[in-house]
Amino acid sequence: MTGKDIMMVSSGDDQKNVVPPWLRPIASIKLYDFCETHSSKECNFYCRVCMVAMCKECKTQHDLSKHEVMKAYKFDRAASFRMKDLEPLWDIYDICSYNKNGWLVVVIHKRGDGIAHSHGQSDAGECECCQYRLKSPSTKYCSVECKVEALMKMKESESMKNEAKRKAETISEGSSSSVHSFRKRARKQKNPQRAPLY
Ligand SMILES: [Zn+2]
Ligand SMILES: [Zn+2]
Ligand SMILES: [Zn+2]
């Protein structure tokens, strides 16, 4: 499976629900570890071409090859990207953002542990992926990783659905029960409150 194929078939509104290939491995990217080559330097850059975290020294080589490199910033001991860097590349409006020294940032990695904490408190939402308490009720995800994970799951169940459909069509008496169960999973149970569009 290649990411390009998925990018090609989708269009229009669908586009924002597509995870760019360079964000797919984001869960396993270790930012702020020390560089293996330059042991005193932290890896606070992410190359979108090589899909690796790297330090400032390593970055110069990627710059020479004209790779697109993003800088990560520490927020609350977590790695984050600036919204202004991510915005042109991906729809991140449903990811919770924070103010860091006047810049809006979104946290890169999952913040919650999958356990709901906010029973009874209605104003703030929870991350749809990991149940982390969100400051802003108009957002759905606590982090880039959570949105990536959620969309990939959706995509997966969608393609499995299509696969099942294809099978059912060719065999014509395929079991349709599994198709329905996927559909159920892919759909959101309840819509969180959203801020009015403007
Ligand atoms: Zn690179
Ligand atoms: Zn390095
Ligand atoms: Zn989350």
Side-chain angles (χ1 to χ4, degrees), residues 62-193:
H62 295 252
D63 283 344
L64 284 175
S65 317
K66 298 210 164 22
H67 286 182
E68 290 165 87
V69 173
M70 290 183 63
K71 191 172 193 303
Y73 299 83
K74 257 184 197 160
F75 173 79
D76 202 10
R77 283 189 293 167
S80 67
F81 285 135
R82 275 182 179 170
M83 271 185 99
K84 93 172 167 57
D85 293 337
L86 261 185
E87 260 167 1
L89 306 165
W90 198 38
D91 181 355
I92 50 166
Y93 290 100
D94 48 6
I95 302 175
C96 199
S97 60
Y98 301 90
N99 191 318
K100 179 190 157 67
N101 305 332
W103 293 96
L104 284 176
V105 296
V106 289
V107 170
I108 297 170
H109 291 120
K110 188 180 283 192
R111 311 200 79 192
D113 47 17
I115 301 162
H117 297 284
S118 67
H119 289 295
Q121 291 177 41
S122 55
D123 54 335
E126 280 174 357
C127 175
E128 287 190 6
C129 187
C130 72
Q131 272 78 49
Y132 186 82
R133 281 291 303 278
L134 301 174
K135 274 183 174 175
S136 155
S138 63
T139 54
K140 290 201 271 184
Y141 306 104
C142 71
S143 58
V144 172
E145 180 185 340
C146 279
K147 181 165 182 181
V148 168
E149 194 179 310
L151 292 188
M152 296 292 273
K153 264 187 207 156
M154 249 182 253
K155 204 89 218 167
E156 212 170 88
S157 64
E158 223 167 73
S159 63
M160 283 170 98
K161 214 162 64 189
N162 290 341
E163 181 80 0
K165 211 163 117 192
R166 246 197 321 269
K167 268 188 189 149
E169 272 163 10
T170 40
I171 307 167
S172 86
E173 50 181 31
S175 62
S176 56
S177 58
S178 63
V179 180
H180 285 294
S181 73
F182 282 122
R183 180 168 299 192
K184 226 175 192 174
R185 281 184 62 125
R187 225 171 243 175
K188 280 169 233 126
Q189 299 300 318
K190 55 172 183 187
N191 261 333
Q193 292 168 281

Side-chain angles (χ1 to χ4, degrees), residues 49-69:
V49 178
C50 307
M51 296 193 262
V52 291
M54 68 209 159
C55 82
K56 207 171 145 188
E57 300 289 325
C58 294
K59 178 180 176 279
T60 54
Q61 282 159 23
H62 295 252
D63 283 344
L64 284 175
S65 317
K66 298 210 164 22
H67 286 182
E68 290 165 87
V69 173

Side-chain angles (χ1 to χ4, degrees), residues 1-10 15 18-21 24:
M1 183 187 82
T2 65
K4 268 199 179 121
D5 295 336
I6 295 165
M7 300 278 284
M8 304 263 278
V9 289
S10 58
Q15 201 65 39
V18 174
V19 180
R24 284 168 203 209

